[in-house]
Structures are given as C-alpha cells and as structure tokens.
Amino acid sequence: MSQACSRKLQAATREKLRKLNSLRGREVLPGEFWDVVAVTAVDGSQKEAYELQIREKVERKELPVGAQYKVFSDPPGCKIGNGGSTLYALQQLNDIYGKALSNMRIILIHAGGFSQRMPSASALGKIFMPLPLGNPIYQMLELKLAMYVDFPSQMKPGFLVTCADDIELYSIPEEERVSFDKPGFTALAHPSPLSVGTTHGVFVLDPSEHSSYQEMEHSSCQCFLHKPSIDEMRDSGAVCTNQNGLFSMSDSEFVYTDSTYYMDFKSAKSLLNLLNELGPLNCEIDAYGDFLQALGPKATIEYTKNTANVTKEESSLVEIRQKIFHLLKGMPLNVILLNNSKFYHIGTTSEYLFHLTEDEAFRGELGLLSSAFSVNATENFSGCCIMYSVLDPSCSVEAGSVVEYSRLETGVSVGGGSIISGCWVSPGLSVPAGAFMHTLCVTHQKQIRFVTVFFGIKDNLKQSVTSPAHVEELEFFGLNLAKCLSHWGMENERLEFSGDASSCSLWNACLFPVCSEQESSFSVSLRMLQAVLSGSTSPPPRDTALMSMQDCLQCKNLEEMLKLKRRLHHDIKQRKLSI
C-alpha cells in the first residue's frame, strides 16, 4: 500500500473513532446511531454473561445511550451456525418489536461460540476482548460500532450482519458515503490476493460495469463463491487484473472478498418466513455461504450439494440449503467495492499477539498503544501490550507478549510471545516464552474457586482423538501429551476427559488444578508448565480436583469474575489519581 493510501486509511479510521467517542455515554439522537445493537450468544449462560457486561458498559458510559442493546441465544440442542443464529435473532426481534421492526436500523453481531482458538475470550466472549485504545478502554464491541458509525444515517430500515472477531478499515472520498439504500442484499467487498479468496467468500462482478478503481465503487454481483479454489475463481470470471496499481494491492491479480453485508427489511422478512416453514433447525447454516450463494442472476442450485467446507454434515443440510436457494433466488446482491480497505481477523491467540504487538500497519491505523489503562507499564515494556493491569515497576515483559486484566507483583518476568489474562502473578515468578495462561473463577462444590489453564500459544485445542489411550497424538507445548503427563505424575489411563468420551482433546482434558485463591492457582499451574519444559516432575497438589477448559466454562462464576474486574478497575483509577 502506498504511503498516501495508508495515510488516507489512518485518517478515515481515526475520524470514525472520534465520532464514536463523541457518542459514548451520551443520549443519541434519532437516526444518529443504531436503533438496536443485537449480539448473538451460543447458549443461555453466554447470553447472561453478555447482558451483564453490556449493562455494566452502559453504566460506565462506554457505549452510546438510547439505543436498545439485545442479546439473543441459540436454542438448546445441536449447533445451528451463524446462519441459524441470524434466523432466530430475526424471530426474536420480530417478537419484541412487531410492526415497528420495519422502520428500524439494526446491527447484528455474531459473537456466539466458545472461542477455542482464543481461550482467554471463552468465558466472557470475544466481543469483549480488550484493545489498547480509547478512554475508557475499548473492547471489540466498541471497535465494531466505531467502524460502522457512519452507516445508520445512510441506511434504509434493515439489518447489517457482521462477525465479532474481524475488523474492516476503509477510506472513501470525503464527499461520498457508504449507503445501504437498494433493495435486496448489499455487501462490502475488499480487494484481496487469490490465496485469501480460497478461505473467504468471493464476488463475481458484472463485467459490463466498467471499473475505474476509485476509492469506492458500486457494482452488482453475478454470483457469490464460498471458499472457492483458484481454478474456480478463474473459471467463473472472479479474477480481476490490477492494471492501474490498485490502492491497497500490489498483486497483479486479485479478487473481491466478503466481510459484512446488509439486507433490507423485505429480505429479512423472507428469511423469517423460512424459519417458520422449517421449524426447529438440526444442522449448521452459514450466514454467508448459505445465504449469499443463492443471490445474483448467475446463482445455481449446485452449491447446495457441496459440503466440502462443512464442519459436520447433517442429512437435512442439502434440503434446507435448497429451500433457502428457492426462497432467495432472484434477489439482487449489490456490492460496494472498497478499494482502499483492509480486512483483519483477530480470532486466534497468534493473530491477537501479532496485531497487538508486531503489526505496525494495524497499530498505526488504529492508534494502538503499548500500554492502556494500566499502572507502571513503562519503559520496560517496549514491543508488548499491557491492558487493564497493575504491574510492579520491577517487572519485565518481553516483546510480543500481551498482559490483560492481571496483577504482576515484584520481580515477575514474562517471556516473549505469551498471553497472561486474568492472572495474579506472585513475586519473583517467571513465565516462559510462548505460554498462554488464563485464570478463571469457578463454582466448585458450591464454593468460589480458581483454575489457571495453560497451553502453548500454538497448541491446537480442537484436535481430538477417540480415546485416552491415544493421548500421545495430542501435542502440548511441542511435546506429546503422554510425555507431559509423566512430568505431572499422571498415567494416561487416569487422565479424565469431560463431555463426549469419544472426543478427547486439550479442550476437554482434565489437567488443571482447582485452587482456593487466584494467586495460588497461577503458581501451581506455572510449576506444572515449568516441569514440562525443564524435564522435571511437579504433580498437582494431592487430592486436588482437576478441571478441563470445558469444565471451567460450564462452572464459571460470572459474578465473581466481573467483581474481580471491577476491583481491578477501581485500583487502577485510584493509583492513577494518586500519581
């Protein structure tokens, strides 16, 4: 990206942040902001967690006042995907607002799920991940609202559908606006390398609409491809040639990929009628692949039988897809080409670390700080990110690490490329490089207890084996799990897994001691981790219960976790006042 384009992107982004900052904590005027900010949750427990946090954010004046903030959970039972969540959210909004819904502008943020690739966000939600900017400090929710702050005033009644863990930055000419005023669906599109297109949705544009590669253009989409191969992109005519040196692209060829889309009220009503016809869902529906592939004049029914990108194939999926296709077929898919734009995904521990500590472009565009709402995070901490934490001046945190919602006592050191989240670290302790450590508050045997989970940053918590006999196939901090168990004085056969016995993974392995105090919980878990790395032995304390990450979520003590956060907030404010 040229320096001029980069400066435009940065200026446009800062202006959006300024606008949201001017709305935080004050009553918004009609049409100035969303009528409803709707957030999806995977179940009732997550819904409760989200509602509590949103309520606190409104009370602390972190969000605009006057909009309705709603959280909708998926129904109990099988996973229904973000497409299913969209349908159920529409149904619940219709139940609440009735006919008034046809005049409302609503943002629907998909935030349901257990964040297995970003476990520090599992208990409280990825939409509440902290970011090092703003006063009060931003979370992903505010950043999403800031990036779309201009949309409600340029939008006919309808719904903007987006995900909690991605960020779109863009600039447009000063005299122009991103408008959502056409019937059907309207999607934002970003120029991307062909390799990126294989993991996203790709738009096949109408070739008769000549492109001059302005900062922003409007086009119509012939059809939408979901995670296509490069050959499929070429065969369908999705590949564009970069002749004029496109704003944000250096590649000679590119495709336009998806991010966020709008549907007008009439289209949303059609989907609502579909849910009534289908009844309870028993398979996962994709709000992008299953809805958008039905749109445009060249859409065909063939995609409904392609289950290559489906996590779990259910017999009813093809039938439901075909019903969606016949319902939406013929509806237009309009595309807003944002030629000076960037799409960022922050859904994994590696992405979180990279974007917050190393990615100079991202940090510059958003104005991210190395230290935000923290005490004593000074010159010892270059190249890392400290948020919402209290550190002793003698602490050291190496480059590439993130410390959030934590207390670090005298002489604590944190190795590079680590995440410390929600922890109280006792004096003198050293956290190794590449470690993920996160303390959760749980209710165990009717008492408040603490569990510190620990993994390697690159560990795959989703990888599973069929029984405990095969745990050597699971990798923990670069070693096979069976070898780790020997360092903790545990036998393979004695290791328990929570939940489904036929799916054994790091996510449901009962490895982590349950302790009575936040500090001791961290210390015990750190000793176990250090034993693995040093080749020594450090069994969990005798007669101590062990929990999995999955257990921790099921037993989380939400009130206590938020109470600890409030106490930390109070301490930071008091110390800052006394400086």
Side-chain angles (χ1 to χ4, degrees), residues 414-456:
V414 178
S418 294
I419 292 177
I420 306 297
S421 178
C423 301
W424 192 326
V425 189
S426 298
L429 294 183
S430 294
V431 178
F436 171 89
M437 301 195 73
H438 174 46
T439 303
L440 298 105
C441 186
V442 300
T443 300
H444 179 68
Q445 295 177 348
K446 298 183 179 179
Q447 292 183 304
I448 296 169
R449 292 291 181 261
F450 297 90
V451 179
T452 300
V453 298
F454 56 96
F455 303 102

Side-chain angles (χ1 to χ4, degrees), residues 349-350 353 417 434-436 455-461 475 477-478 506:
T349 50
S350 297
L353 286 174
F436 171 89
F455 303 102
I457 286 293
K458 294 181 180 175
D459 288 349
N460 181 356
L461 275 60
E475 198 169 280
F477 235 100
L506 294 183

Side-chain angles (χ1 to χ4, degrees), residues 308-575:
N309 294 311
V310 176
T311 334
K312 188 177 179 184
E313 190 177 338
E314 301 289 351
S315 56
S316 59
L317 178 60
V318 172
E319 181 190 347
I320 288 176
R321 278 181 168 177
Q322 290 181 348
K323 285 185 176 179
I324 293 170
F325 174 78
H326 289 299
L327 175 85
L328 298 180
K329 182 172 169 50
M331 280 191 193
L333 176 53
N334 310 293
V335 184
I336 299 172
L337 310 179
L338 297 172
N339 286 324
N340 191 31
S341 65
K342 285 188 179 180
F343 175 93
Y344 292 100
H345 186 260
I346 307 184
T348 70
T349 50
S350 297
E351 288 170 343
Y352 195 55
L353 286 174
F354 174 69
H355 291 310
L356 265 56
T357 67
E358 293 181 53
D359 188 347
E360 290 305 322
F362 180 73
R363 288 168 57 81
E365 286 150 8
L366 282 170
L368 299 187
L369 306 169
S370 293
S371 168
F373 195 62
S374 294
V375 175
N376 292 329
T378 52
E379 64 277 355
N380 293 349
F381 309 106
S382 64
C384 61
C385 178
I386 316 290
M387 298 177 284
Y388 219 116
S389 295
V390 175
L391 284 70
D392 185 87
S394 62
C395 293
S396 67
V397 180
E398 290 187 20
S401 287
V402 170
V403 176
E404 60 184 32
Y405 302 123
S406 294
R407 298 175 188 267
L408 275 58
E409 300 285 5
T410 313
V412 166
S413 66
V414 178
S418 294
I419 292 177
I420 306 297
S421 178
C423 301
W424 192 326
V425 189
S426 298
L429 294 183
S430 294
V431 178
F436 171 89
M437 301 195 73
H438 174 46
T439 303
L440 298 105
C441 186
V442 300
T443 300
H444 179 68
Q445 295 177 348
K446 298 183 179 179
Q447 292 183 304
I448 296 169
R449 292 291 181 261
F450 297 90
V451 179
T452 300
V453 298
F454 56 96
F455 303 102
I457 286 293
K458 294 181 180 175
D459 288 349
N460 181 356
L461 275 60
K462 288 185 169 187
Q463 182 195 348
S464 64
V465 293
T466 52
S467 78
H470 300 119
V471 292
E472 71 278 354
E473 294 174 33
L474 297 176
E475 198 169 280
F476 182 90
F477 235 100
L479 300 169
N480 81 63
L481 185 55
K483 186 155 182 68
C484 297
L485 293 176
S486 68
H487 292 295
W488 301 326
M490 298 165 68
E491 305 292 330
N492 291 20
E493 295 74 25
R494 279 186 52 217
L495 177 62
E496 293 183 4
F497 290 85
S498 56
D500 183 0
S502 66
S503 178
C504 303
S505 65
L506 294 183
W507 181 256
N508 67 340
C510 299
L511 299 170
F512 310 110
V514 179
C515 300
S516 57
E517 295 173 344
Q518 190 180 7
E519 284 178 90
S520 61
S521 166
F522 185 89
S523 301
V524 168
S525 288
L526 181 61
R527 280 198 297 273
M528 290 175 69
L529 173 55
Q530 288 170 331
V532 167
L533 298 179
S534 65
S536 59
T537 303
S538 179
R542 189 183 293 245
D543 299 326
T544 297
L546 301 175
M547 278 190 174
S548 67
M549 183 68 200
Q550 185 183 60
D551 285 332
C552 290
L553 292 190
Q554 289 169 351
C555 303
K556 69 185 177 194
N557 188 316
L558 190 61
E559 291 283 2
E560 196 62 28
M561 288 179 82
L562 294 177
K563 194 186 292 182
L564 289 171
K565 220 171 173 185
R566 283 195 291 272
R567 201 173 299 151
L568 193 56
H569 185 275
H570 177 264
D571 288 357
I572 293 169
K573 286 201 91 167
Q574 290 300 113
R575 295 200 195 195

